Amino acid sequence: MAKKKKKVSTAKRKAWMSGVQTAALAGGRFIARLLPIVILSALIFFGFTRVRDALYADSALDVRQIQITPAGFLPPALKKELDKRWLGTNIFSADVHKVSSFLIRDPAILKADTVKKFPSTLNVQITPRVPFARVSFAKGGQAAIISEDGVILDLLDPKSEFNGPALDAFESEWKTPVKGKWQAPQGL
């Protein structure tokens, strides 16, 4: 025997259709409100990238000068390497933290603060390590100049003079000092 289909009343059908139409209208209103925002966001994004690309391509914004303060502090080899790495790069792509990190690898530099000066200059303010004492690591052996924070700034001949305190570190495990290394204070 065939099952009888339940008849859905016309009123229920109309109510169901009304609900579907209401949902469609609400969805349409949402899309109508969202669409201008999406289009505006896309225009802003693409406009921004075009402006950014134009700024990065502008040779007038290439780094042409690196000013070091105090003037003449950097050794010529380090200045040459600094110029080689950053002169000619776009000032927007020059990472000031990388410039500073590059410079503080030199043991004579305690701190390097780099700022961009538009349109084409990097200003670097260097805080040098101050020589503190002459340290001898073995009798008649290698001597070194250390800073207050214990970094070996330079190696000296055992008989060379230094105008400052002279320390003996014969008890230290380091018999041969290495320039740029930190010397632990024990044994000094």
Side-chain angles (χ1 to χ4, degrees):
M1 192 174 206
K3 280 190 174 181
K4 281 187 172 178
K5 277 188 171 180
K6 283 188 180 179
K7 283 192 174 182
V8 178
S9 72
T10 309
K12 284 186 179 179
R13 265 193 204 142
K14 283 184 181 177
W16 182 80
M17 287 301 287
S18 175
V20 170
Q21 287 172 342
T22 303
L25 285 174
R29 279 191 226 123
F30 175 74
I31 290 173
R33 288 181 183 158
L34 185 63
L35 191 60
I37 294 171
V38 169
I39 291 172
L40 185 60
S41 298
L43 289 173
I44 290 172
F45 173 76
F46 289 117
F48 171 75
T49 51
R50 297 280 301 198
V51 168
R52 185 194 69 203
D53 292 345
L55 288 173
Y56 276 80
D58 190 354
S59 63
L61 295 172
D62 287 348
V63 175
R64 291 196 178 100
Q65 182 181 15
I66 301 174
Q67 292 181 338
I68 307 293
T69 307
F73 177 78
L74 288 184
L78 186 60
K79 176 68 171 133
K80 184 177 179 180
E81 182 66 24
L82 181 71
D83 290 346
K84 180 180 164 188
R85 285 183 179 218
W86 281 283
L87 285 180
T89 61
N90 187 282
I91 197 155
F92 288 108
S93 63
D95 186 342
V96 294
H97 299 292
K98 285 185 180 179
V99 173
S100 296
S101 295
F102 170 77
L103 289 170
I104 62 172
R105 293 186 315 179
D106 186 298
I109 298 173
L110 178 65
K111 184 176 165 188
D113 294 317
T114 306
V115 293
K116 297 175 183 180
K117 182 179 175 187
F118 289 95
S120 60
T121 304
L122 293 177
N123 286 339
V124 182
Q125 176 68 43
I126 292 178
T127 304
R129 280 195 167 87
V130 179
F132 173 67
R134 178 186 193 276
V135 178
S136 297
F137 290 91
K139 282 193 180 198
Q142 188 75 50
I145 302 294
I146 64 166
S147 65
E148 288 181 339
D149 61 344
V151 174
I152 297 175
L153 300 177
D154 205 1
L155 304 178
L156 298 174
D157 183 83
K159 297 190 187 328
S160 63
E161 295 293 321
F162 174 72
N163 192 17
L167 306 172
D168 291 328
F170 302 149
E171 300 295 318
S172 170
E173 69 267 5
W174 287 22
K175 299 302 177 198
T176 307
V178 178
K179 184 177 179 178
K181 296 293 182 184
W182 179 74
Q183 174 60 45
Q186 67 261 26
L188 292 181

